[in-house]
Amino acid sequence: MPNPGQRDADGARIIVIRQPPNASSPEGRVHMAAQLQDDVRDIPDYQALVVFDMKGYSKVPSPYMQSTRDEFDNMLATAFVESGLGDEWQHCAYWNDRGDGCILAMPIRRMWRLVEPLPEILDGVLARYDRERFASMPEIRVRMSVHLGPVSESYRGDPINDACRLIDSDAARDAVAKAEQLGSYVALVISEAVFQAVVRARRTTRLTELDFLPTRAEVKDKYSEPAWVHVPRRSPSALSAPAESPAAQDTQPAQGAAVTPGGPPASTAPRTNTIDTVNNYFDAPQGPLTFTQDFRRTGR
């Protein structure tokens, strides 16, 4: 083999191309191991991340915390199975207990089922629980976030953090409070990446872009990203409407009351007139009347 700096008879430099060592030789095995060694800059496989959180779980009396959590896990398992995600629940790539909820990771191939039909099915499961629960058992309402990203083998990094920040954001907390006001049990918040990959790509069969409320998920000094909110069986306009204050409710006309233009509601309740004698009823009252005759004043 010529030297790398050697020239031929015409004075041209001789270029030496070195072939990689044979993989079966000791030198070859060392070379292959060096080539296959992971680099921290390598991009891991993308996975779908879903986070669940029970609203108000910290207020559940201590004796009922474990039974409430067990009940919730059973309802999640039921909803996953009914949504066609039973295998993902049983053999999820990653599962972590958050105390008042959990985090799951799964391949992104069937991530669309986390957006539809899982939230609506879970809403129905929670509604059945609410109808059948004992008075001593607490109500359960759920925040749910879905995100995707490159997830390392340690399951640490931005995708996991962002999925948790989505569910802890003001947008998610406001959505579940509005869901409770509207009689629903689940509030879903999805990241922009999930919205693009699932909803805008039309991988859902019933839900469209019009079923989601655009918002911004924010956690003070930590997170601020566009997001999309959905509450099963409720329109985005219902979610964006301001909550009616108790004072405003008190000023609404009572059922059956007639509204007088420019004035307070006119009551249609029967009027009661007390008269001194049978012959003293000469006024002209309005509306239905009942009469009470008091004979004590006439001496009868």
Side-chain angles (χ1 to χ4, degrees), residues 50 52 74-89 104 106 109-126 128 144 146 186 188 203-207 232:
V50 56
F52 298 94
N74 290 336
M75 288 188 285
L76 280 181
T78 299
F80 266 76
V81 170
E82 293 183 8
S83 301
L85 292 169
D87 188 63
E88 281 78 2
W89 175 263
L104 287 84
M106 55 180 273
R109 185 173 66 92
R110 284 155 43 103
M111 178 179 67
W112 59 272
R113 291 182 180 268
L114 296 174
V115 179
E116 181 193 82
L118 180 60
E120 187 165 357
I121 289 176
L122 179 59
D123 188 81
V125 172
L126 289 166
R128 289 197 298 269
M144 173 182 173
V146 181
V186 174
L188 169 68
R203 286 187 167 90
T204 51
T205 57
R206 188 182 60 81
L207 297 180

Side-chain angles (χ1 to χ4, degrees), residues 39 49-50 57 67 108 161 165 192 200 218 229 272 280:
D39 191 299
L49 300 163
V50 56
Y57 180 71
S67 58
I108 62 173
N161 294 338
R165 287 164 180 164
E192 177 70 19
R200 187 156 289 167
E218 295 184 341
V229 172
T272 301
N280 75 340

Side-chain angles (χ1 to χ4, degrees), residues 57-241:
Y57 180 71
S58 60
K59 297 179 181 178
V60 174
S62 181
Y64 301 107
M65 276 192 164
Q66 186 59 52
S67 58
T68 300
R69 179 56 198 271
D70 291 343
E71 191 75 36
F72 178 56
D73 286 344
N74 290 336
M75 288 188 285
L76 280 181
T78 299
F80 266 76
V81 170
E82 293 183 8
S83 301
L85 292 169
D87 188 63
E88 281 78 2
W89 175 263
Q90 290 290 335
H91 308 289
C92 60
Y94 172 78
W95 186 94
N96 188 31
D97 189 346
R98 280 171 48 98
D100 51 3
C102 58
I103 309 171
L104 287 84
M106 55 180 273
I108 62 173
R109 185 173 66 92
R110 284 155 43 103
M111 178 179 67
W112 59 272
R113 291 182 180 268
L114 296 174
V115 179
E116 181 193 82
L118 180 60
E120 187 165 357
I121 289 176
L122 179 59
D123 188 81
V125 172
L126 289 166
R128 289 197 298 269
Y129 161 82
D130 198 49
R131 290 193 300 268
E132 299 169 0
R133 67 184 173 87
F134 293 110
S136 59
M137 296 297 289
E139 294 182 354
I140 296 179
R141 282 180 167 80
V142 176
R143 302 194 307 269
M144 173 182 173
S145 71
V146 181
H147 185 43
L148 67 89
V151 181
S152 66
E153 292 182 358
S154 67
Y155 287 91
R156 299 181 183 276
D158 288 340
I160 289 281
N161 294 338
D162 289 348
C164 294
R165 287 164 180 164
L166 264 177
I167 206 169
D168 290 333
S169 67
D170 292 339
R173 295 180 185 278
D174 292 345
V176 77
K178 193 67 176 181
E180 182 175 6
Q181 181 185 349
L182 296 171
S184 295
Y185 296 86
V186 174
L188 169 68
V189 181
I190 63 176
S191 65
E192 177 70 19
V194 173
F195 183 81
Q196 294 290 341
V198 175
V199 182
R200 187 156 289 167
R202 299 184 181 179
R203 286 187 167 90
T204 51
T205 57
R206 188 182 60 81
L207 297 180
T208 69
E209 297 179 32
L210 299 179
D211 293 299
F212 289 81
L213 178 69
T215 186
R216 193 161 193 88
E218 295 184 341
V219 178
K220 187 177 180 181
D221 299 329
K222 293 182 179 180
Y223 185 77
S224 179
E225 294 290 340
W228 298 80
V229 172
H230 173 70
V231 171
R233 302 177 288 109
R234 308 300 174 189
S235 67
S237 59
L239 299 179
S240 59

Side-chain angles (χ1 to χ4, degrees), residues 23-46:
S24 61
S25 67
E27 182 183 5
R29 287 193 291 271
V30 171
H31 175 78
M32 291 297 294
Q35 292 295 316
L36 295 175
Q37 186 175 4
D38 288 339
D39 191 299
V40 293
R41 296 166 295 182
D42 292 346
I43 300 176
D45 292 337
Y46 273 63

